[in-house]
Amino acid sequence: MTTTQKQPDFSERASTLPEQNLWRSVVTQAVRDAFSNEQYHRWSAWAWFYGDTSDYRWTCQLAGIAADRLRQAMIETVFLNYLIQKGGF
């Protein structure tokens, strides 16, 4: 009698992998830096988001985040903040 062993589904575990959490922390820090009061950190973060480098895409992939969607969300957030500050929203 042969028993078929079920293969583990690692996709269920993907969100809890320590490596993925590490890369999500890297992206989270970049988002914080993008809205920092320190100009150098802000400029560096926005250059990273807008640069569309392989480093940016690779980091997002390892974090399990869609690079294009993250960039678009950042742009929309800045635009909404601008409208709110100008009283146009």
Side-chain angles (χ1 to χ4, degrees):
M1 186 166 135
T2 329
T3 321
T4 306
Q5 199 172 15
K6 182 180 175 190
Q7 294 295 321
D9 182 6
F10 293 107
S11 63
E12 294 174 1
R13 228 184 113 216
S15 63
T16 60
L17 290 174
E19 296 85 0
Q20 189 174 43
N21 289 334
L22 171 68
W23 290 108
R24 285 181 180 178
S25 295
V26 170
V27 173
T28 299
Q29 186 60 53
V31 171
R32 288 184 182 137
D33 288 349
F35 295 99
S36 170
N37 289 331
E38 295 187 35
Q39 189 173 7
Y40 174 77
H41 293 295
R42 193 171 56 245
W43 285 2
S44 295
W46 281 106
W48 190 66
F49 285 113
Y50 280 114
D52 196 31
T53 62
S54 60
D55 176 55
Y56 171 74
R57 291 196 167 277
W58 181 71
T59 301
C60 288
Q61 182 179 359
L62 290 173
I65 297 170
D68 294 333
R69 291 185 70 196
L70 175 60
R71 182 181 302 107
Q72 186 61 37
M74 294 293 290
I75 292 169
E76 290 172 5
T77 300
V78 169
F79 181 68
L80 287 174
N81 283 338
Y82 174 79
L83 288 178
I84 290 168
Q85 288 175 1
K86 295 295 179 184
F89 189 70

